[in-house]
Amino acid sequence: MTDYTALAQGYIDVWNETDADKRRALVEELFTPDALFTDPIGSVRGTAAIDEFIGAAQAQFAGLEFSLGGTVDGHHDQARFTWHLGAPGAAEPLAIGFDVVVVEDGRIARVLGFLDKVPS
């Protein structure tokens, strides 16, 4: 049985890891080798492309952190959760999103991302 909250937190941790080598190792541990990531900004496949996508987002939003925006809901090898992006300790997040992940053998095989609030 998958611990969906731990999986979602691991996903958030990957987005917050700024050391490129550590982030790449976390991506390879968390995602299947041919995982698909799709959101309104882009669509990439494979751990190398996902790692590059995350690195580019970190460069664009330097100094900001991701966090879970509430409880994680999961069943039948899929989970959904809201995330926040903002300055550490800020009361209001700069961006809010909603992701659905599909799990295979305990690892993320697909991410379907949606943006609910984006910076102007």
Side-chain angles (χ1 to χ4, degrees):
M1 179 176 236
T2 302
D3 181 344
Y4 297 109
T5 300
L7 189 75
Q9 186 59 59
Y11 177 82
I12 296 297
D13 293 344
V14 166
W15 283 86
N16 285 329
E17 181 55 66
T18 56
D19 179 285
D21 292 333
K22 289 180 183 177
R23 184 184 64 240
R24 178 62 182 259
L26 289 172
V27 167
E28 290 177 355
E29 180 181 324
L30 185 65
F31 291 88
T32 62
D34 65 342
L36 176 65
F37 177 94
T38 305
D39 76 3
I41 307 301
S43 182
V44 296
R45 181 178 293 277
T47 54
I50 291 170
D51 180 53
E52 289 175 21
F53 189 87
I54 293 170
Q58 288 176 343
Q60 183 178 2
F61 298 108
L64 303 181
E65 291 182 355
F66 287 89
S67 62
L68 286 174
T71 59
V72 178
D73 183 28
H75 63 85
H76 293 93
D77 293 324
Q78 58 190 352
R80 65 179 179 164
F81 53 89
T82 299
W83 52 262
H84 293 169
L85 174 66
E92 186 67 29
L94 180 66
I96 299 173
F98 177 90
D99 287 355
V100 174
V101 298
V102 177
V103 182
E104 290 179 5
D105 298 322
R107 296 166 73 192
I108 296 173
R110 187 166 191 181
V111 177
L112 303 168
F114 298 86
L115 300 174
D116 298 322
K117 176 184 174 184
V118 294
S120 52

